[in-house]
Structures are given as structure tokens and as C-alpha cells.
Amino acid sequence: MEYLIYILVVGVIVLTILLLRTTWFKASQDYKETINLPDFDTKRAVETLQNLIRFKTVSYEDKSLEDRQAFLDFALYLKQRFPKINAQATFDKIGETGLLFHIEGKSTKQPIVLMSHYDVVPENGSWQHPPFCGNIIDNHIYGRGAVDTKGTLAAVMESVEHVLKTGNQLTNDLYLAFSGDEETRGPSAPAIVDYLKQKRIRPWLVLDEGGAIVDDVFPGVTRKAAVIGTGEKGYLNLKLTKSVAGSHAAMPPKEMAIPTLAKAVRKLDNPSLFKIRKPEATRQFFNTIARHTTDYKIKCLFANERLLNPLLKYFINKKSGLMASLYKTTQSFTMVLGSEAMNVLPSEASLFINYRIITGETVESVKRTVEKRVQKYGITCDIMKGADPTPLSKTDGSYHVLVDTIRQTWGNIIVSPYLMMAGTDARYHHDISDHVYRFSPLRLDKKTRATVHGVDEKLAVDNYLSCVGFYINLLNNLVVKKQT
């Protein structure tokens, strides 16, 4: 009896702790500053994006498919369209398609790099209107690259041109770095970083595409949130190959290549294959976002993360999508190659897997994990392409200026760091800066995000103009505010 009472008392104490911690797990005081949307030439800004879309700067792995003249004409247009920038900036073409503008400020101690890319993916499907028309249709600027990322490139250039027209000199050196081969992981962005490294430039702020303003960031969270990528996962394309003696399909041998690969898939397709980890960016994200959820069970889980860690691990392993991606290395089986004829058994079959690697693991560690699982099947594993996760940037100094500017532009929204799953050119800048951030200053709902790399890509005019306003605010904050 005393033993049962003891268990009951302990249970009551634990339950009380859980409930109290959940009650205390709430958002800090709301941000109160009034939205500040600067005045600028909106008609000109819209025309700029329309014109940029009309350059067919489509990048391919096979460079012979590209229209190289379109890339040259794009660079020439930037030279002609922005007289204030080109009067004050030095301009360099770097690598195959890199464009770098450098505007000197009053100091070289805390330089700023604003990034984007001007290459786009192919049209990839049947569009309602020509994919490079750049027309305004239903109050949207229509065309490939409107969101990814000619929209932000146009906004960067328009904002800098606007600020220079006011006669203000920038506090610190400003670099505008644009690549034309981001979609194919080309060499231009690394070449720009090498150039800056040779100049011994360590940026105080690097800002590229990545996170955005979203309204479906987490279950039970109804407010919009701006998510800022402070790092990104690594990636690995791995090829698994099984070789056997060839044979006719009418006389199948005991061991065949494709069934052996199928055994490997069953062995690998396990949610516990990779450990659950907690990168700082993921911890910060859930510590911020979960405070705003109306789902009491989820709030309780994250408010008591240490006490309920086994339950959290179970929940992560059972879930896919965002939850799993932020905590662990993910695995996607993407391609299988075998025989070229229906009645011929392949002497060699290959399986291709795409991994997105969590902070704390590497390309080599992922490969070793896979090899250990499939070694008894006589399967070889070859790295096709890969890169380790990036370091995580600090959330101090220029990060706070970025947060203030977001709230200045869009008001009282949630702002949080997060770990980005996709790849960007920003990854190379971690070699020269501790403050590399991924944030596209756009409101991206599910419908808009679906058009990126899809059909009918378009960007609402007011959404784009807010993007220009954000960059103007950011530049003015970097000019006016004392940096620490």
C-alpha cells in the first residue's frame, strides 16, 4: 500500500511539473513598433522585375543548352538600368557567371553582402501564359524567376539605387553578389567567395535566399512567422550498384541484380537508420515557434522536452516532413536503372538515393552507415555529389538588425532561426563569415511556393514591393544605426 501511495505522489509531482512548465512556456511580450513602408518609385521597381524575367537565363547541367547571350544581356541591363550604383560601384565579372558590385562605405570593418541568383530552371510543364513574358496578370508579376530569385535581385538593386539617390553614404562597404549558375550548383558563387577571401574581407552580414514569411509554419500556430536560415543541411547523392552475370529473362539465375537492390532498400528503409539530433538552429526554432501554438499537447511536449525526450523521439520517428527533416538526416530513393529491354536481365543495376544530412553528420559518415547495412549483399556505394552541412551562424549583432528590419517592415510577426533543408549559394560564405543568413523577404504561402520550379510562377505586386521596402529599411538601418 505504501508503495502505491509513493508512486501516486511521484506521479502527481511529475504531472504538476509538466503542467506548470507548459503554463510558463509562452511567447515573450509582443513587438509594438509601427510598420514603416518607405516611399520609392514603385512603377519603376515593377518594370525592373518584369524586364529581368524576360531574359531567358535558364541554366542546365549541359552548358551547350544554355543561351549564353541572355546571360550577357542580363549583366548589361544591370549596368544600364542602375546609373547611381554603377557610378559609385566597382564591377567585376567573376567565375563563369558571377557578378559582383562593390560600393565603398565610410568603413571597411563590417562589410555587408547581399546575394541572389539570376539563373532559373527550365519551364518544366504547360504554362497558362508564356513563362518569360514578365506581364502583370491579376496583380501578379508572371514568369519564371519571379520568386526564385529575380524578384529579390530586382529588389536589392532597386533598394540600393534608391538609397544612393538620397545622397547617403553607406556606413560600411556593400557588396552585391549574384551568380548565374546556382540552380546547377555551379562554380560562380565559390569563385566570388574566393575573390573576397583573397581580399581578406570578412562580412558582418551575408543575406541570401532561403526562409521567408509563412503562415503554415507549425501545427496550431495561426500567426505569420519569418524564418531565417542560420545554416543548411548537407546533401549526398549516393549510387548503389549490384553486378551479376548477365542472363536471358527466360532462364533467371538464383541471384539477380534488381531483387538484391530491393533487399537493400528494405534494409535501409528504416526510420531509425539515422540518429535523432538537435542542432542549435532546430532547438531555437521549436523553442520559439512552439510557444505560439494553440495545440496544448504539442506545447506540453516542447515545454518539457527533457522530461519527455523518449516521447519526442517516438513522435519524430513516426512523423515525416518538416519534423523529421529538422532533427535527422533524411533519405529519399529517387532513381533505379536496370536493363534496357523487358526480356533481358541486367548484368548491373543501380539505385540512386538522395540524402539531406543533419548537422553533426557528414557525407562520409552517411556513406559508412549505408555501406554497413548493405555490405552482405555485395553492393558497391559511390558518391555522385555531396557536401557536408554548413556551420550554424551566430544569432547576434547583424542578426538582430535583420530581425528588427523584418518587424519594421511587416509588424508584429514571429521571427525565428531555423535549419534550412535545401541548398543555396550562401553555404560557401561560411568560409569567410560567422553571420550568413538565408531569408527571402517575401510572403510565401503554399500556393506561391508550389510554383517555384513548377508551372505558372508568379509574385504578387504588393508582395514584391514589400520586398523592396524591406531592403530599403535594411540599408537605412545599416546606415543610421550604430552597429555593435
Side-chain angles (χ1 to χ4, degrees):
M1 186 65 179
E2 291 181 359
Y3 180 71
L4 291 177
I5 293 174
Y6 174 77
I7 293 177
L8 181 61
V9 170
V10 171
V12 170
I13 292 173
V14 171
L15 181 60
T16 301
I17 292 173
L18 291 176
L19 294 177
L20 286 174
R21 287 179 63 86
T22 304
T23 301
W24 296 331
F25 190 69
K26 55 186 178 181
S28 58
Q29 187 175 3
D30 286 344
Y31 180 82
K32 299 297 184 182
E33 186 168 330
T34 304
I35 294 175
N36 175 29
L37 295 177
D39 292 326
F40 58 94
D41 190 339
T42 58
K43 181 180 178 181
R44 173 196 155 88
V46 170
E47 289 175 350
T48 295
L49 178 52
Q50 289 182 277
N51 291 335
L52 295 187
I53 289 171
R54 289 167 184 152
F55 293 99
K56 296 182 181 180
T57 51
V58 182
S59 59
Y60 295 91
E61 295 284 353
D62 181 356
K63 296 301 179 184
S64 67
L65 299 175
E66 294 180 351
D67 180 359
R68 299 310 306 165
Q69 191 59 47
F71 287 78
L72 297 174
D73 291 343
F74 185 96
L76 181 61
Y77 178 79
L78 295 185
K79 295 281 288 181
Q80 296 172 342
R81 180 69 172 174
F82 301 98
K84 286 291 183 181
I85 292 175
N86 285 285
Q88 297 190 34
T90 56
F91 172 74
D92 291 286
K93 290 187 176 180
I94 298 176
E96 293 184 3
T97 61
L99 309 176
L100 184 65
F101 295 87
H102 171 210
I103 303 169
E104 289 188 5
K106 297 178 181 178
S107 171
T108 61
K109 291 183 179 179
Q110 295 179 325
I112 300 144
V113 179
L114 301 181
M115 298 176 60
S116 188
H117 66 87
Y118 62 98
D119 65 316
V120 298
V121 298
E123 49 197 86
N124 294 334
S126 178
W127 292 54
Q128 296 182 40
H129 307 280
F132 296 96
C133 67
N135 295 339
I136 296 178
I137 301 168
D138 295 330
N139 294 317
H140 286 72
I141 305 169
Y142 187 96
R144 176 61 83 217
V147 179
D148 186 20
T149 58
K150 289 182 177 179
T152 52
L153 192 152
V156 166
M157 294 297 286
E158 283 292 331
S159 64
V160 176
E161 185 78 1
H162 172 83
V163 169
L164 293 179
K165 283 180 180 178
T166 65
N168 287 326
Q169 184 182 3
L170 300 181
T171 304
N172 295 304
D173 282 8
L174 175 65
Y175 294 86
L176 312 179
F178 310 132
S179 74
D181 49 23
E182 189 271 351
E183 298 290 2
T184 58
R185 295 188 185 273
S188 296
I192 290 174
V193 171
D194 286 343
Y195 175 87
L196 296 176
K197 189 183 297 185
Q198 291 171 10
K199 298 285 186 180
R200 297 184 178 180
I201 295 164
R202 288 196 59 82
W204 185 71
L205 168 67
V206 178
L207 184 59
D208 194 13
E209 65 170 321
I213 298 170
V214 294
D215 56 9
D216 54 355
V217 67
F218 195 72
V221 177
T222 57
R223 290 173 57 188
K224 286 182 170 56
V227 290
I228 304 170
T230 54
E232 63 187 59
K233 297 177 79 172
Y235 67 93
L236 169 62
N237 291 329
L238 196 63
K239 178 182 180 182
L240 276 60
T241 305
K242 175 62 181 178
S243 299
V244 297
S247 179
H248 194 284
M251 297 177 290
K254 184 177 180 180
E255 184 181 42
M256 293 181 284
I258 292 177
T260 303
L261 285 177
K263 293 178 183 177
V265 170
R266 287 196 296 270
K267 196 73 173 176
L268 292 171
D269 192 16
N270 185 330
S272 300
L273 181 63
F274 296 103
K275 293 181 180 179
I276 294 172
R277 300 176 184 271
K278 297 177 183 177
E280 180 63 15
T282 297
R283 189 199 65 78
Q284 290 176 325
F285 174 78
F286 285 112
N287 186 55
T288 301
I289 296 297
R291 293 174 184 273
H292 295 270
T293 184
T294 57
D295 189 319
Y296 191 82
K297 296 187 295 297
I298 292 179
K299 179 173 282 191
C300 181
L301 181 62
F302 285 100
N304 301 278
E305 186 175 346
R306 290 186 179 180
L307 285 172
L308 301 178
N309 192 53
L311 181 60
L312 179 62
K313 287 185 176 181
Y314 174 82
F315 184 65
I316 293 168
N317 280 328
K318 284 292 183 182
K319 288 285 185 179
S320 58
L322 178 66
M323 180 68 77
S325 298
L326 289 174
Y327 275 104
K328 61 194 296 187
T329 293
T330 58
Q331 172 181 249
S332 297
F333 302 98
T334 57
M335 296 171 59
V336 178
L337 298 178
S339 172
E340 295 183 358
M342 289 289 291
N343 63 343
V344 176
L345 290 173
S347 59
E348 181 177 284
S350 297
L351 167 72
F352 296 83
I353 313 175
N354 177 261
Y355 293 93
R356 297 304 169 111
I357 305 170
I358 198 71
T359 305
E361 295 176 356
T362 65
V363 167
E364 287 299 327
S365 70
V366 170
K367 183 187 177 191
R368 286 195 300 271
T369 298
V370 174
E371 287 176 330
K372 186 176 180 180
R373 288 294 182 107
V374 304
Q375 62 183 356
K376 69 177 182 179
Y377 301 116
I379 291 172
T380 60
C381 300
D382 296 300
I383 296 172
M384 306 302 291
K385 185 180 286 188
D388 292 335
T390 71
L392 298 178
S393 290
K394 298 177 180 178
T395 52
D396 60 6
S398 58
Y399 178 83
H400 295 313
V401 176
L402 181 57
V403 170
D404 289 344
T405 305
I406 290 170
R407 288 173 168 161
Q408 181 184 356
T409 308
W410 287 282
N412 187 22
I413 64 174
I414 306 165
V415 183
S416 174
Y418 89 117
L419 180 65
M420 190 168 170
M421 278 73 80
T424 68
D425 278 343
R427 71 164 32 250
Y428 307 108
H429 286 258
H430 285 276
D431 283 347
I432 59 173
S433 178
D434 295 325
H435 297 86
V436 181
Y437 306 113
R438 299 154 180 83
F439 176 70
S440 298
L442 298 167
R443 302 185 307 276
L444 298 183
D445 55 23
K446 286 184 178 180
K447 189 174 181 180
T448 302
R449 295 199 299 271
T451 69
V452 177
H453 289 204
V455 299
D456 298 323
E457 184 176 353
K458 57 189 174 182
L459 180 61
V461 171
D462 64 338
N463 197 356
Y464 165 65
L465 294 177
S466 293
C467 180
V468 180
F470 164 84
Y471 282 113
I472 293 174
N473 283 339
L474 180 64
L475 290 168
N476 282 332
N477 287 339
L478 294 170
V479 168
V480 174
K481 290 187 176 180
K482 183 179 179 181
Q483 301 172 4
T484 59

